[in-house]
Coordinates of all heavy atoms in Angstrom, one line a residue:
C10 N 4.8 14.0 -3.6 CA 5.9 13.4 -4.4 C 5.9 13.8 -5.8 O 5.0 13.5 -6.6 CB 5.8 11.8 -4.3 SG 6.9 10.9 -5.4
T11 N 6.9 14.6 -6.2 CA 7.0 15.2 -7.5 C 7.1 14.1 -8.6 O 6.4 14.1 -9.6 CB 8.2 16.1 -7.6 OG1 8.1 17.2 -6.7 CG2 8.3 16.8 -9.0
Y12 N 7.9 13.1 -8.3 CA 8.1 12.0 -9.3 C 6.8 11.1 -9.4 O 6.6 10.6 -10.5 CB 9.3 11.2 -9.0 CG 10.6 11.9 -9.3 CD1 11.4 12.5 -8.4 CD2 11.0 12.1 -10.7 CE1 12.5 13.3 -8.7 CE2 12.1 12.8 -11.0 CZ 12.9 13.4 -10.0 OH 14.0 14.1 -10.4
C13 N 6.1 11.0 -8.3 CA 4.8 10.3 -8.4 C 3.8 11.0 -9.4 O 3.2 10.4 -10.2 CB 4.1 10.2 -7.0 SG 5.1 9.3 -5.8
T14 N 3.8 12.4 -9.2 CA 2.9 13.2 -10.1 C 3.4 13.1 -11.6 O 2.6 12.9 -12.5 CB 3.0 14.7 -9.7 OG1 2.5 14.7 -8.3 CG2 2.1 15.5 -10.6
K15 N 4.7 13.1 -11.8 CA 5.3 13.0 -13.1 C 4.9 11.6 -13.7 O 4.6 11.5 -14.9 CB 6.8 13.2 -13.1 CG 7.2 14.6 -12.9 CD 8.7 14.7 -13.0 CE 9.2 16.1 -13.0 NZ 10.6 16.2 -13.3
A16 N 5.0 10.6 -12.9 CA 4.7 9.2 -13.4 C 3.3 9.1 -13.9 O 3.0 8.6 -14.9 CB 5.0 8.2 -12.4
K17 N 2.4 9.7 -13.1 CA 0.9 9.6 -13.4 C 0.7 10.5 -14.7 O -0.1 10.0 -15.5 CB 0.1 10.1 -12.2 CG 0.1 9.1 -11.1 CD -0.7 9.6 -9.9 CE -0.1 10.8 -9.2 NZ -0.8 11.2 -8.0
E18 N 1.3 11.6 -14.8 CA 1.2 12.4 -16.0 C 1.7 11.7 -17.2 O 1.1 11.8 -18.3 CB 1.9 13.8 -15.8 CG 1.2 14.7 -14.8 CD 2.0 15.9 -14.5 OE1 3.2 16.1 -15.0 OE2 1.5 16.8 -13.8
L19 N 2.8 11.0 -17.1 CA 3.3 10.3 -18.2 C 2.4 9.2 -18.7 O 2.2 9.0 -19.9 CB 4.7 9.7 -17.8 CG 5.6 9.1 -18.9 CD1 5.8 10.1 -20.0 CD2 6.9 8.6 -18.3
L20 N 1.8 8.5 -17.7 CA 0.8 7.4 -18.1 C -0.4 8.0 -18.8 O -0.9 7.5 -19.8 CB 0.4 6.6 -16.9 CG 1.5 5.7 -16.3 CD1 1.1 5.2 -14.9 CD2 1.8 4.5 -17.2
R21 N -0.9 9.1 -18.3 CA -2.0 9.8 -18.9 C -1.6 10.3 -20.3 O -2.4 10.1 -21.2 CB -2.4 11.0 -18.1 CG -3.2 10.7 -16.8 CD -3.7 11.9 -16.1 NE -4.1 11.6 -14.8 CZ -3.5 11.9 -13.7 NH1 -2.3 12.6 -13.7 NH2 -3.9 11.5 -12.5
K22 N -0.4 10.8 -20.5 CA 0.0 11.3 -21.8 C 0.0 10.1 -22.8 O -0.3 10.3 -24.0 CB 1.4 11.9 -21.7 CG 2.1 12.3 -23.0 CD 3.5 12.8 -22.7 CE 4.2 12.9 -24.0 NZ 5.7 13.1 -23.8
H23 N 0.4 9.0 -22.4 CA 0.4 7.8 -23.3 C -1.0 7.1 -23.3 O -1.1 6.0 -24.0 CB 1.5 6.8 -22.8 CG 2.9 7.3 -23.1 ND1 3.5 6.9 -24.3 CD2 3.7 8.0 -22.5 CE1 4.7 7.5 -24.4 NE2 4.9 8.1 -23.2
G24 N -2.0 7.6 -22.7 CA -3.3 7.1 -22.7 C -3.4 5.7 -22.0 O -4.3 4.9 -22.4
L25 N -2.6 5.5 -21.0 CA -2.6 4.2 -20.3 C -3.4 4.3 -19.0 O -3.1 5.2 -18.1 CB -1.1 3.8 -20.0 CG -0.3 3.6 -21.2 CD1 1.2 3.4 -20.8 CD2 -0.8 2.4 -22.0
P26 N -4.4 3.5 -18.8 CA -5.2 3.5 -17.6 C -4.4 3.0 -16.4 O -3.6 2.1 -16.6 CB -6.4 2.6 -17.9 CG -5.8 1.7 -18.9 CD -4.8 2.4 -19.7
F27 N -4.6 3.6 -15.2 CA -3.8 3.2 -14.1 C -4.7 3.3 -12.8 O -5.6 4.1 -12.8 CB -2.5 3.9 -13.9 CG -2.7 5.4 -13.6 CD1 -2.7 5.8 -12.3 CD2 -2.7 6.3 -14.6 CE1 -2.9 7.2 -12.0 CE2 -2.9 7.7 -14.4 CZ -2.9 8.1 -13.1
T28 N -4.3 2.5 -11.8 CA -4.9 2.6 -10.5 C -3.8 3.1 -9.6 O -2.6 2.6 -9.7 CB -5.4 1.3 -10.0 OG1 -6.4 0.8 -10.9 CG2 -5.9 1.4 -8.6
E29 N -4.1 4.1 -8.8 CA -3.1 4.6 -7.8 C -3.4 4.1 -6.4 O -4.5 4.1 -6.0 CB -3.1 6.1 -7.8 CG -2.2 6.8 -6.9 CD -2.3 8.3 -6.8 OE1 -3.2 8.8 -7.5 OE2 -1.5 8.9 -6.2
Y30 N -2.3 3.7 -5.7 CA -2.4 3.4 -4.3 C -1.5 4.4 -3.6 O -0.3 4.3 -3.8 CB -2.0 1.9 -4.0 CG -2.9 0.9 -4.6 CD1 -2.6 0.3 -5.8 CD2 -4.1 0.6 -4.0 CE1 -3.5 -0.6 -6.4 CE2 -5.0 -0.4 -4.5 CZ -4.7 -1.0 -5.7 OH -5.5 -1.9 -6.2
N31 N -2.1 5.3 -2.8 CA -1.4 6.3 -2.1 C -1.1 5.8 -0.7 O -2.1 5.5 0.0 CB -2.2 7.6 -2.1 CG -1.4 8.7 -1.6 OD1 -0.8 8.6 -0.5 ND2 -1.5 9.9 -2.2
M32 N 0.1 5.7 -0.4 CA 0.5 5.2 0.9 C 0.1 6.0 2.1 O 0.0 5.5 3.2 CB 2.0 4.9 1.0 CG 2.5 3.9 0.1 SD 4.2 3.4 0.3 CE 5.0 4.8 0.7
T33 N -0.3 7.3 1.9 CA -0.8 8.1 3.0 C -2.2 7.9 3.2 O -2.8 8.3 4.3 CB -0.5 9.6 2.7 OG1 -1.1 10.0 1.5 CG2 1.0 9.9 2.7
S34 N -2.9 7.2 2.3 CA -4.4 6.9 2.5 C -4.5 5.7 3.5 O -3.8 4.7 3.3 CB -5.0 6.6 1.2 OG -6.3 6.0 1.4
S35 N -5.4 5.8 4.4 CA -5.5 4.7 5.4 C -6.0 3.4 4.7 O -5.6 2.4 5.2 CB -6.5 5.1 6.5 OG -7.8 5.4 6.0
S36 N -6.7 3.5 3.6 CA -7.1 2.3 3.0 C -6.0 1.7 2.1 O -6.2 0.5 1.7 CB -8.3 2.6 2.0 OG -7.9 3.5 1.0
S37 N -4.9 2.4 1.9 CA -3.8 1.8 1.1 C -2.6 1.5 1.9 O -1.5 1.2 1.4 CB -3.5 2.8 0.0 OG -4.5 2.9 -0.9
R38 N -2.6 1.6 3.2 CA -1.5 1.4 4.1 C -0.9 0.0 4.0 O 0.3 -0.2 4.2 CB -1.8 1.7 5.5 CG -2.1 3.2 5.7 CD -1.1 3.8 6.7 NE -1.3 5.2 6.7 CZ -0.6 6.0 7.3 NH1 0.5 5.5 8.0 NH2 -0.8 7.3 7.3
W39 N -1.7 -1.0 3.6 CA -1.3 -2.4 3.4 C -0.2 -2.5 2.4 O 0.7 -3.3 2.4 CB -2.4 -3.3 3.1 CG -3.2 -2.9 1.9 CD1 -4.2 -2.0 1.7 CD2 -2.9 -3.4 0.5 NE1 -4.6 -1.9 0.4 CE2 -3.8 -2.7 -0.3 CE3 -2.0 -4.3 0.0 CZ2 -3.8 -3.0 -1.7 CZ3 -2.0 -4.5 -1.4 CH2 -2.9 -3.9 -2.2
I40 N -0.2 -1.5 1.4 CA 0.8 -1.5 0.4 C 2.2 -1.3 1.0 O 3.2 -1.9 0.5 CB 0.6 -0.3 -0.6 CG1 -0.7 -0.6 -1.4 CG2 1.7 -0.1 -1.6 CD1 -0.6 -1.7 -2.4
L41 N 2.3 -0.5 2.0 CA 3.6 -0.3 2.7 C 4.2 -1.6 3.1 O 5.5 -1.9 3.0 CB 3.5 0.6 3.9 CG 4.7 1.1 4.6 CD1 5.7 1.7 3.6 CD2 4.4 2.1 5.7
T42 N 3.4 -2.5 3.6 CA 3.9 -3.9 4.1 C 4.5 -4.6 2.9 O 5.6 -5.2 2.9 CB 2.8 -4.7 4.7 OG1 2.3 -4.0 5.8 CG2 3.3 -6.1 5.1
L43 N 3.8 -4.6 1.7 CA 4.3 -5.3 0.5 C 5.6 -4.7 0.0 O 6.5 -5.4 -0.4 CB 3.2 -5.2 -0.6 CG 1.9 -6.0 -0.3 CD1 1.0 -5.8 -1.5 CD2 2.2 -7.4 0.0
L44 N 5.7 -3.3 0.0 CA 6.9 -2.7 -0.4 C 8.1 -3.1 0.5 O 9.2 -3.3 0.0 CB 6.7 -1.2 -0.4 CG 5.8 -0.6 -1.5 CD1 5.7 0.9 -1.3 CD2 6.3 -1.0 -2.9
N45 N 7.8 -3.1 1.8 CA 8.9 -3.5 2.7 C 9.4 -4.9 2.4 O 10.6 -5.2 2.5 CB 8.5 -3.3 4.1 CG 8.4 -1.9 4.6 OD1 9.2 -1.0 4.0 ND2 7.6 -1.5 5.5
L46 N 8.4 -5.8 2.2 CA 8.8 -7.2 1.9 C 9.5 -7.4 0.6 O 10.4 -8.2 0.5 CB 7.5 -8.1 1.9 CG 6.8 -8.3 3.2 CD1 5.4 -9.0 3.0 CD2 7.7 -9.2 4.1
A47 N 9.2 -6.5 -0.3 CA 9.9 -6.5 -1.6 C 11.2 -5.7 -1.6 O 11.9 -5.6 -2.6 CB 9.0 -6.0 -2.7
Q48 N 11.5 -5.1 -0.4 CA 12.6 -4.2 -0.3 C 12.6 -3.0 -1.2 O 13.7 -2.6 -1.7 CB 13.9 -5.0 -0.3 CG 14.0 -6.1 0.7 CD 15.3 -6.9 0.7 OE1 16.1 -6.8 -0.2 NE2 15.6 -7.6 1.7
L49 N 11.5 -2.5 -1.5 CA 11.3 -1.3 -2.3 C 11.1 -0.1 -1.3 O 10.2 -0.1 -0.6 CB 10.1 -1.4 -3.3 CG 10.2 -2.6 -4.3 CD1 8.9 -2.7 -5.0 CD2 11.4 -2.3 -5.2
K50 N 12.0 0.8 -1.4 CA 12.1 1.9 -0.4 C 11.6 3.2 -0.8 O 11.5 4.2 -0.1 CB 13.5 2.0 0.2 CG 14.1 0.7 0.8 CD 13.3 0.3 2.0 CE 14.0 -1.0 2.5 NZ 13.2 -1.7 3.5
T51 N 11.4 3.4 -2.2 CA 11.1 4.7 -2.7 C 9.8 4.7 -3.5 O 9.3 3.6 -3.9 CB 12.2 5.2 -3.6 OG1 12.3 4.3 -4.7 CG2 13.5 5.4 -2.9
V52 N 9.2 5.8 -3.7 CA 8.0 5.9 -4.6 C 8.3 7.0 -5.7 O 9.2 7.8 -5.4 CB 6.8 6.3 -3.8 CG1 6.3 5.2 -2.9 CG2 7.0 7.6 -3.0
P53 N 7.7 6.9 -6.8 CA 6.7 5.9 -7.1 C 7.3 4.6 -7.4 O 8.4 4.4 -7.8 CB 6.1 6.5 -8.4 CG 7.2 7.2 -9.1 CD 8.0 7.8 -7.9
Q54 N 6.4 3.6 -7.3 CA 6.7 2.2 -7.8 C 5.6 1.9 -8.8 O 4.4 2.1 -8.5 CB 6.7 1.2 -6.7 CG 7.8 1.4 -5.7 CD 9.2 1.2 -6.4 OE1 9.4 0.4 -7.3 NE2 10.2 2.0 -5.9
V55 N 6.0 1.5 -10.0 CA 5.1 1.4 -11.1 C 5.1 -0.1 -11.6 O 6.2 -0.7 -11.8 CB 5.4 2.3 -12.3 CG1 4.4 2.2 -13.4 CG2 5.4 3.8 -11.8

Side-chain angles (χ1 to χ4, degrees):
C10 169
T11 303
Y12 285 103
C13 298
T14 301
K15 287 182 170 190
K17 292 181 287 186
E18 288 173 356
L19 189 58
L20 288 169
R21 285 186 194 105
K22 176 184 166 190
H23 284 271
L25 299 169
F27 66 90
T28 298
E29 176 183 10
Y30 293 99
N31 186 313
M32 293 190 325
T33 57
S34 168
S35 60
S36 64
S37 296
R38 294 241 172 187
W39 59 273
I40 292 288
L41 186 56
T42 300
L43 295 179
L44 290 178
N45 285 334
L46 289 171
Q48 297 181 349
L49 298 171
K50 305 293 183 196
T51 61
V52 289
Q54 292 298 325
V55 181

